[in-house]
Amino acid sequence: MVNIEKLKTALKDQSISIDQVADTLGCDRATIYRRFQQSTKFTVDEVDRLSKLLNLSAEKMQQIFFDR
């Protein structure tokens, strides 16, 4: 399960907007908001792209996207 609060913090810390996330993932803002509400899930490809956008270490990626 994605830790949305940690993801939002990572985005805020790097001043990355929802528009930038949407552009990176090739979708619209509404899709990103649905992901943040966890009504739809991030795909493996999206996790990879976001990890690169945020320049996340493997450990940080694990904490954000695969935290239980």
Side-chain angles (χ1 to χ4, degrees), residues 1-3 6-7 10 44-52 54-67:
M1 176 184 264
V2 177
N3 186 319
K6 286 184 181 180
L7 177 56
V44 173
D45 184 54
E46 290 171 337
V47 169
D48 183 54
R49 288 191 218 173
L50 279 174
S51 295
K52 288 177 183 172
L54 293 166
N55 197 30
L56 298 176
S57 66
E59 180 181 345
K60 191 70 173 175
M61 180 183 73
Q62 182 74 26
Q63 290 173 353
I64 291 173
F65 293 103
F66 304 106
D67 192 26

